[in-house]
Amino acid sequence: MFRVDSLRKLQSGCMLFVDGKNVYYLTGFTGEGCLLVTPASAVIITDFRYVEQCERQAPECVLEQTTREKGRSAIIKKYLDDAGAKELYVETGILTVDAFRALSKDLEGITLNDMPPVLRDMRMVKSDEEIKAICKAAIISCDAFEALLKQIKPGMTEKYACAILEHEMRLRGSEGPAFDTIVASGVNGSLPHAVPSDKKIESGELVTFDFGASSMGYCSDMTRTVAVGRISYELNKIYDAVYTAHMMALEQVRPGVITKDLDTIAREYLEKRYPGAFGHSLGHGVGLNIHESPAVSTRGDTVLQKGHVITIEPGVYLKGLGGCRIEDTVIVTDTGFIDPYTVSKQLIVV
Ligand code: ZN
Ligand code: ZN
């Protein structure tokens, strides 16, 4: 995995990447450090701890080890001088203010410019290899969820259910949770981003699980809301509405569709039935980051194309009653989409 040449075709000049996901995407290196791209070199600047790892993971790159005498800035300066560069693109959205100031001071005479969104655009369209990793993560999370369903029972705390789910994902090869697992039972279900608590899961409640595995650094993201025993008519109605909104939006996923139009389909349907109860975006892109481009929101203006990977996750949240969300992450193909998530979206009763 070495994508620096593809990057150079899209963007000229010298670029400094400090975002670990971007460094990995471009070079395969997963350790701490940064990547300097000049017209002639791709240089990974790291410290003693990652030297061997860097040699193994990114053999196409030049490796520069920082020492007490020779820091990051000195190394960058040398390569910029070699390239005769007077400008450097930096990731202003990632660098801290302190780091930016220090870099400006150390690289006197060099103008620091905002990095163009070229990598965001590259990363948005997934290769076959990336799609394979994303599907693997999806299968791990589905299998782990099926295993959880067999173990879950009233009286179990949200934290305990969360631990089972994360453990089952690990057993199936996940590199770790793709993000903080959400388990929200009963009245906690009205919090879209509830943190698993000591609250016991009770019979008659809906329980929302939002979670993901990771494979080769790529995330999965899925949400299922399950019923524990018999639930009320009111909760059933909420589930049906969210399910219908999810399916209506999902069925429209294909190349050429603008992401905000997907959001509108689900939003209009839910707004008529539960005004104000769906307060977040319909979805987001998924890849090395759990949230990345394209946005699938009221303002999302990306025209879908093959290789985009997006979530569809409508929800309804009613204070004092609970909530429901159903989410799959799907891959846009030439003609429509692939949904690698196998867990049923019909109401599951445990
Ligand atoms: Zn999610
Ligand atoms: Zn999501």
Side-chain angles (χ1 to χ4, degrees):
M1 183 165 56
F2 182 71
R3 298 188 170 103
V4 173
D5 294 333
S6 315
L7 171 70
R8 282 202 190 102
K9 280 187 197 133
L10 300 168
Q11 183 64 49
S12 57
C14 295
M15 296 163 261
L16 178 68
F17 295 96
V18 293
D19 179 337
K21 302 279 169 67
N22 283 344
V23 175
Y24 172 62
Y25 179 79
L26 288 168
T27 68
F29 177 58
T30 57
E32 285 177 31
C34 62
L35 169 70
L36 177 68
V37 175
T38 71
S41 323
V43 188
I44 290 176
I45 304 169
T46 187
D47 64 67
F48 173 80
R49 294 171 298 165
Y50 301 102
V51 168
E52 189 185 339
Q53 182 183 335
C54 185
E55 285 166 353
R56 287 191 204 180
Q57 292 180 325
E60 295 93 340
C61 294
V62 179
L63 168 64
E64 285 279 2
Q65 185 184 337
T66 54
T67 59
R68 212 163 299 195
E69 296 76 37
K70 192 177 63 174
R72 180 171 82 170
S73 298
I75 295 168
I76 294 171
K77 187 86 174 55
K78 175 176 136 349
Y79 280 89
L80 293 181
D81 287 347
D82 288 351
K86 290 276 165 268
E87 287 181 330
L88 176 66
Y89 291 116
V90 295
E91 295 169 301
T92 45
I94 307 288
L95 282 174
T96 62
V97 175
D98 282 355
F100 184 82
R101 282 185 185 143
L103 208 55
S104 306
K105 196 166 153 251
D106 293 346
L107 301 179
E108 223 192 313
I110 304 283
T111 309
L112 301 185
N113 291 326
D114 295 2
M115 185 78 73
V118 55
L119 214 51
R120 182 199 67 193
D121 296 344
M122 275 177 80
R123 280 177 49 178
M124 194 152 62
V125 181
K126 271 72 178 176
S127 67
D128 290 349
E129 193 188 8
E130 292 178 285
I131 289 169
K132 236 165 113 182
I134 286 167
C135 289
K136 172 98 188 291
I139 291 162
I140 290 171
S141 41
C142 286
D143 289 351
F145 191 66
E146 300 282 6
L148 167 72
L149 289 177
K150 293 194 189 105
Q151 300 171 62
I152 197 167
K153 44 177 153 323
M156 183 181 279
T157 66
E158 292 173 351
K159 277 182 184 167
Y160 199 93
C162 172
I164 294 174
L165 186 52
E166 291 186 356
H167 179 67
E168 295 288 351
M169 288 196 287
R170 276 281 191 186
L171 290 178
R172 287 163 176 77
S174 172
E175 291 149 5
F179 54 93
D180 290 341
T181 302
I182 293 168
V183 181
S185 64
V187 290
N188 289 349
S190 63
L191 309 168
H193 269 200
V195 175
S197 74
D198 292 319
K199 181 191 166 303
K200 290 188 167 113
I201 293 167
E202 307 283 359
S203 189
E205 289 181 338
L206 281 176
V207 190
T208 299
F209 297 90
D210 187 350
F211 60 101
S214 54
S215 171
M216 303 281 292
Y218 287 85
C219 302
S220 64
D221 188 8
M222 69 182 285
T223 307
R224 289 293 182 275
T225 300
V226 303
V228 183
R230 262 180 79 92
I231 56 165
S232 65
Y233 173 72
E234 221 173 354
L235 291 177
N236 256 309
K237 244 178 73 183
I238 292 174
Y239 193 93
D240 285 347
V242 173
Y243 173 81
T244 304
H246 175 92
M247 296 309 279
M248 283 170 69
L250 186 67
E251 280 161 11
Q252 294 307 315
V253 174
R254 65 174 71 96
V257 169
I258 302 170
T259 54
K260 69 176 167 208
D261 292 343
L262 295 174
D263 185 284
T264 305
I265 294 168
R267 197 165 303 282
E268 282 183 351
Y269 182 82
L270 290 176
E271 195 57 30
K272 259 187 234 148
R273 285 150 185 91
Y274 298 98
F278 173 35
H280 58 74
S281 303
L282 179 68
H284 52 86
V286 178
L288 290 171
N289 282 105
I290 187 63
H291 292 137
E292 57 179 56
S293 293
V296 186
S297 66
T298 49
R299 286 182 299 182
D301 56 3
T302 304
V303 179
L304 286 181
Q305 66 175 86
K306 185 188 172 197
H308 284 167
V309 176
I310 57 165
T311 71
I312 301 291
E313 49 179 308
V316 162
Y317 311 94
L318 297 172
K319 196 175 168 189
L321 185 66
C324 171
R325 179 166 65 256
I326 302 172
E327 172 184 30
D328 273 357
T329 305
V330 298
I331 299 138
V332 181
T333 63
D334 278 326
T335 50
F337 65 91
I338 298 169
D339 184 346
Y341 294 79
T342 52
V343 177
S344 172
K345 282 184 268 202
Q346 305 273 9
L347 183 63
I348 296 169
V349 182
V350 292

